[in-house]
Amino acid sequence: GCIVADGCTIEGSVENSILFRGVSVARGAQVKNCILMQDVTVSRDAVLHHVVADKNVAIMESRTLIGNESYPLAIAKGSKV
């Protein structure tokens, strides 16, 4: 299951993840086993597995970011990836 805060826009798929306020997941994007902090933007066709993204991170179009269950990929606050 997912935990999704208010103010999120989800057009892609989200599985087994935690989304904080103001997160947007664009059409075609896949988010699995992730924690996305406040105001993270996931652009079209991006793929995120086992990612922890701090506040105000922007994931650009068609990016693929895959961490491991025992070692998730962490993205620093305010990054554009």
Side-chain angles (χ1 to χ4, degrees):
C2 294
I3 298 173
V4 180
D6 57 339
C8 290
T9 307
I10 300 171
E11 295 178 340
S13 72
V14 178
E15 283 179 47
N16 199 33
S17 297
I18 300 171
L19 307 187
F20 286 65
R21 267 186 325 192
V23 170
S24 74
V25 179
R27 185 172 293 130
Q30 278 181 40
V31 176
K32 259 189 201 166
N33 303 308
C34 294
I35 299 172
L36 305 181
M37 306 286 186
Q38 202 169 321
D39 297 322
V40 169
T41 304
V42 182
S43 299
R44 256 181 122 86
D45 302 320
V47 177
L48 276 62
H49 293 208
H50 300 290
V51 172
V52 178
D54 207 340
K55 293 179 181 179
N56 299 307
V57 165
I59 309 296
M60 308 314 273
E61 204 167 302
S62 302
R63 291 284 195 264
T64 300
L65 301 172
I66 299 180
N68 188 286
E69 188 174 346
S70 59
Y71 194 84
L73 182 62
I75 303 172
K77 189 192 299 186
S79 300
K80 270 192 172 184
V81 182

